[in-house]
Amino acid sequence: MDVIRFGTDGWRGQIARDYTFANVRRCAQGFATWLKRRPDQGRGQVVIGYDRRFQSDAFAAGAAEVLAGNGYRVLLTDRPTPTPIISFGIADTGSLGGINITASHNPPADNGFKVRDQTGGAVPPGQLGKIEACIPAMDSRAHVQSRDLDKALADGSVRYFDPGTAYSEQVAKLVDLAPLRAADLTVQVDAMWGNGAGWLPRFLDGGRIKVSEIHGEHNPLFPDMHRPEPIPPNVDAGLAAARAARADCTLILDGDADRCGFGDEQGRFIDQLRVFGLLAYYLLEVRGERGPIVKTLSTTSMLDRLGEHYGVPVHETGVGFKYVAPAMLSAEALIGGEESGGYAFRNHVPERDGILANLCLLDLMVRTDRRPSELIEDLFAITGTHHYSRRDLKLADDAMKQAAVVALDRVNVDNLALGGRRVTALDRTDGYKFKLEDGGWVLIRFSGTEPLIRVYTEISDAAATDSVLDDGVALTGV
């Protein structure tokens, strides 16, 4: 491939087909050139990390060679490292930015190239475009500057480092771990074969609490799931283990540990929108903190109700942390998040952190002495009942995508109803968000990371979600 495009969160591709060493090096050169052209960046230090996917360590080494060849000092993680820890390492070491070799929740055959700025957060959309423009063409490989890794290690321009200790100290400042360790609880962890394996047991070890972990070994095929995305059916094996262990909750991490999944005391999945509501409730009600909330347009309107109840503003952005991170920094937000299960917190890096989010959920249970299902009832007492569902439609090619775009652009909302609910407005900020008369909504959006159309809904009536989604899917013509 010649042209490389960055989607919602960097570039992803299929290993050996388009995700090759040559293309990773091109992306690394683009990032290095972008840094050079920024007046405040100079020739300082860059962090590079990677996940447990096939050859991720080798791809990361290739990126390190390119950054070193461009005159940057490189801190290369000495092992597969969770995305939030890599991001924290960027900010903690005062680095100019970072590269993370990971495809997060994508299928096993994929890998990815994430870029981060000096805050550890996602690079804003305008700057992502500038990085793309700096990527040399395939016939310009001479423009990729590189330095042999062994030589770079010998002269110190690349050195291995472990940001985990500093991250652990940071987490201990944000959550009091002692009461969690002392709690009389049984906790099931599903690491989804990813970088987060071992981290939650590590934080909780040493007390009365009982913690067991499933899918903690290194296996880039991700058995028991289609992909390491923390939603059903991928979480079914972890929830079954929780039921067998009679666990009080299930804490779930995705493939690079930046996303959070959660199961209740009966081994039932709690969707990501309700988790976002619980985390905001935890910070506002239980911890008594105040500050703005940042959410994407694909996530829950429960946050609007919580904002009204506690007197805090709620800001809505496009989908992706490339929108959320800048908005959080600008608003000095208390929490920011998105529908995919990624949540970021104040006084931390503006990046999704599935490890910290899971610890906050456990802290919510301990502080209130309430089970997850009871906490949902407490949340609904403020926000009203909300039910969420999503469907993913596979796009075979660009022609199919363009046909869907044409079909959606032609939709007339006058007298339009979805699942028997009248459409009151259409928001085109990022995709097609149809607002419904009962306060619910339907969002139709093209994925920024995969060839998919995602159709989402959140309404008050669980029995109607299928009919609403059926009508939403019909609008796409797929």
Side-chain angles (χ1 to χ4, degrees), residues 19-30:
Y19 196 92
T20 63
F21 284 101
N23 283 337
V24 168
R25 287 175 176 273
R26 290 171 60 208
C27 285
Q29 181 61 55

Side-chain angles (χ1 to χ4, degrees), residues 318-373:
V319 176
F321 255 69
K322 64 183 180 182
Y323 298 109
V324 175
M328 286 191 69
L329 293 170
S330 175
E332 298 183 354
L334 177 65
I335 186 172
E338 58 182 358
E339 172 270 345
S340 64
Y343 317 103
F345 303 86
R346 187 168 62 190
N347 300 321
H348 195 40
V349 289
E351 170 64 286
R352 295 164 295 204
D353 191 335
I355 298 170
L356 178 58
N358 272 302
L359 291 172
C360 287
L361 291 168
L362 190 59
D363 192 36
L364 171 60
M365 292 176 58
V366 171
R367 287 185 184 229
T368 59
D369 193 25
R370 302 278 281 172
R371 299 186 299 177
S373 63

